Amino acid sequence: MSLPTLDLGRRNEGLLRSGHPWIYRNRLPDHSPLEAGWVRLEAGRRYAIGIYEPAGEVAVRLFSRDRVPDRAWITARLSAALDLRRHLEAAGSDSYRILSGEGDGVPGLVADRYGRFAVIRYYGDGVARLAPDIAWALGRTLPLQGVVAREAGGLRLLWGAEPPPELTVRENGLPFLANLAKGQKTGLYLDQRENRLTLSRWAAGRRVLNLFSYTGAFAIYALKGGARHAISVDSAAGAIHDAHRNAAANGFDLDRHRGITADAYDYLKAQVERGETFDLVILDPPSLARRKTQRYKALKAYRRLNALAMRCVAQGGMLATSSCTAQVSPTDFRAALAEAARSAGATAQLLHEAGHACDHPVPLHFPEGRYLKFVLARVLHSRAAG
């Protein structure tokens, strides 16, 4: 296949040698307008094959050293990815990320499994061209009934049968509702699965406040771990409705789980003003920055939110807090938490720190892929803070 060639120049040879999967637009030479699709990159003695995108900060996503991926290439990538995830089904999970973009060598595209169905999302018109072949490989390799692409207009069938409006999947043996067309991400927040399991081991006997709860997964895990009571708070009424249903599916009634539709920040602030405290407060807010220029604003928001949360934690209680903002590094997040503790008049002891679940691998040469930070800390209030 004859491909358009972009010569990055010898000075950029290190870019291709590094193995980093992205070429930013400001690294490209002047060139005639190109359509989204495969290109060949050269830089000194190095070359690579990637997908060009006409818009966006990332101009080319690199896939191969010397060939345009075909079905055999895709099947090999999928097989390697599944080898990493086989233990998940043995542990009672039929919902997990099958292909994690750059982490599995397919930049700009993810594929998630929900029981007998799979959902593909892609980020760019060029990468979208891979979706049909990936759907074919998924259907050929896994016992699926259908594969769909999640797009702005809804779900598009790529292989097999369309999924139902919602279905029940299992995560570490626990049942959860998933809406593949309208739910967050592709239906559920699969990247927090192992962090939820860790949290359950610390929850026994505690009163739990679960903020930015979505459909209540953290609260359900806490209750399974022996928490006395849990409150889930989210601004979306539909999410809280499903949190109630998830609680019921896992055997918990209103005596153990309560769902509240409210702005999580406002609710937390009101609890602090009332002097209400909990033994375990969980914070899992959405991303607070989409660009590097918003990083400072995001850090300020994390400091303010976590300071309030620490004031709402009972003496010696626990804070489980997350950041999914890629522009905020793990070091930045820890520093924000330390400042939040000082602001709250407390000392926070770091007990556990983690990132994504294992089905969201991050190449060491791609630090941008480490977006999720999860911290579990004990909060000790000074006497002055009361």
Side-chain angles (χ1 to χ4, degrees), residues 85-94 96 193-194 358-359:
R85 295 154 169 87
R86 295 196 188 282
H87 70 284
L88 294 174
E89 291 194 46
S93 296
D94 66 359
Y96 53 88
R193 179 185 56 255
E194 290 168 16
C358 64
D359 51 341

Side-chain angles (χ1 to χ4, degrees), residues 141-213:
T141 306
L142 291 168
L144 301 176
Q145 293 179 8
V147 181
V148 295
R150 180 155 168 175
E151 301 173 333
L155 300 181
R156 178 167 65 92
L157 182 63
L158 297 174
W159 179 89
E162 292 185 358
E166 68 176 22
L167 62 159
T168 298
V169 297
R170 304 192 77 80
E171 182 180 288
N172 292 313
L174 306 183
F176 289 98
L177 294 166
N179 186 318
L180 308 190
K182 297 181 180 180
Q184 295 293 322
K185 293 209 170 182
T186 57
L188 296 175
Y189 287 95
L190 303 174
D191 51 3
Q192 289 275 30
R193 179 185 56 255
E194 290 168 16
N195 296 330
R196 289 191 278 265
L197 185 60
T198 295
L199 179 86
S200 70
R201 297 168 181 149
W202 293 83
R206 299 184 185 275
R207 293 177 60 250
V208 177
L209 177 60
N210 180 26
L211 299 162
F212 304 98
S213 67

Side-chain angles (χ1 to χ4, degrees), residues 206-209 228-229 231 267-268 270-281 308-318 379 381 385-386:
R206 299 184 185 275
R207 293 177 60 250
V208 177
L209 177 60
R228 284 186 290 152
H229 184 261
I231 297 175
Y267 183 87
L268 176 60
Q271 301 312 298
V272 170
E273 290 172 350
R274 292 174 50 196
E276 185 73 32
T277 60
F278 296 82
D279 305 308
L280 170 60
V281 175
L308 275 175
M310 290 182 193
R311 292 174 62 190
C312 203
V313 175
Q315 176 73 317
M318 311 281 287
V379 178
H381 299 282

